[in-house]
């Protein structure tokens, strides 16, 4: 059974700092890995999707990497802003269109 | 348009009530999903529909009954729920073929069972 863990569980940084969120998964037989953002009480917003054959994907200030062999993905956020404050979730896609979500990292960017 | 809509936004129901949650997408996706999310926990998959047929049921109690009347609509019928069923219910959709797809999520329905 796939298990996905995210470290740290919570993170507080000053505005402008670059930061890295970590995601680990136990079963490397994944089709892709997706990063989401969730604001309190809201739905999930897809940020980036990395195919199993890819090493990284970039969108604006966000860069996600994937190392399938070691079961790890990272989300790099450059020049953080208060509007980046949210919970970030990674999810690994296995067979049967099933996503297994990580435990989430709650990010707070302070002025 | 990458929007998944869900109604209602909030729902309060008693344990003897029958209610339904609705989800709609017009992206041509043929896979649709229901997730349950408790506070400060990640979403948990409940059901997957592929081409309007139920393909995955994650051992969900029968008081939750999904329905996919057409390729754009997904319903979740609720009956005789328990207070512990209170949660955010999220709907999502995606393409079904190939590996290069994203799941798009709706804003969710906040359900409170009294």
């Amino acid at each position: 059974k796939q298990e996905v863990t995210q470290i740290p569980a919570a993170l507080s940084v000053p505005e402008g700092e670059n930061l890295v969120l970590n995601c680990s998964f136990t079963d490397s037989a994944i089709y892709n890995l997706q990063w989401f953002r969730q604001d309190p009480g809201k739905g999930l917003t897809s940020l980036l999707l990395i195919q199993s054959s890819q090493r990284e994907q970039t969108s604006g200030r966000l860069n996600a990497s994937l190392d399938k062999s070691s079961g790890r993905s990272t989300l790099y956020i450059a020049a953080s802003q208060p509007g980046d404050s949210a919970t970030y979730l990674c999810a690994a896609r296995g067979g049967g269109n099933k996503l297994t979500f990580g435990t989430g990292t709650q990010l707070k960017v302070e002025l | 348009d990458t929007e998944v809509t869900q109604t209602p936004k909030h729902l309060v129901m008693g344990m003897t009530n029958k209610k339904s949650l609705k989800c709609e997408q017009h992206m041509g996706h043929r896979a649709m999903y229901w997730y349950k999310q408790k506070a400060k926990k990640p979403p948990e998959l409940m059901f997957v529909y592929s081409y309007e047929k139920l393909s995955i049921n994650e051992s969900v109690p029968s008081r939750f009954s999904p329905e996919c009347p057409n390729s754009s609509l997904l319903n979740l019928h609720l009956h005789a729920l328990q207070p512990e069923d209170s949660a955010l219910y999220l709907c999502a959709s995606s393409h079904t073929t190939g590996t290069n797809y994203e799941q798009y999520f709706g804003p969710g329905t906040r359900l409170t069972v009294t």
Side-chain angles (χ1 to χ4, degrees), chain B residues 77-88:
Chain B
H77 302 299
L78 314 173
H79 173 55
L81 294 192
Q82 303 297 311
E84 59 264 29
D85 296 322
S86 298
L88 181 67

Side-chain angles (χ1 to χ4, degrees), chain B residues 14-100:
Chain B
M15 289 189 285
T16 59
N17 292 156
K18 288 185 180 181
K19 297 286 185 182
S20 297
L21 308 185
K22 296 184 184 299
C23 173
E24 190 168 5
Q25 58 87 14
H26 295 288
M27 294 178 276
H29 292 165
R30 301 305 294 273
M32 297 186 77
Y33 313 78
W34 280 115
Y35 291 85
K36 175 182 177 179
Q37 186 178 25
K38 301 284 278 185
K40 299 198 179 296
K41 297 289 186 182
E44 296 179 346
L45 183 66
M46 300 174 72
F47 303 104
V48 179
Y49 272 84
S50 181
Y51 294 97
E52 295 87 68
K53 294 191 185 304
L54 184 65
S55 60
I56 294 178
N57 176 342
E58 292 288 277
S59 303
V60 178
S62 60
R63 57 185 184 269
F64 295 92
S65 176
E67 178 195 24
C68 191
N70 61 54
S71 61
S72 300
L73 292 174
L74 184 67
N75 298 321
L76 186 63
H77 302 299
L78 314 173
H79 173 55
L81 294 192
Q82 303 297 311
E84 59 264 29
D85 296 322
S86 298
L88 181 67
Y89 288 84
L90 295 164
C91 173
S93 70
S94 73
H95 290 296
T96 57
T97 56
T99 59
N100 185 18

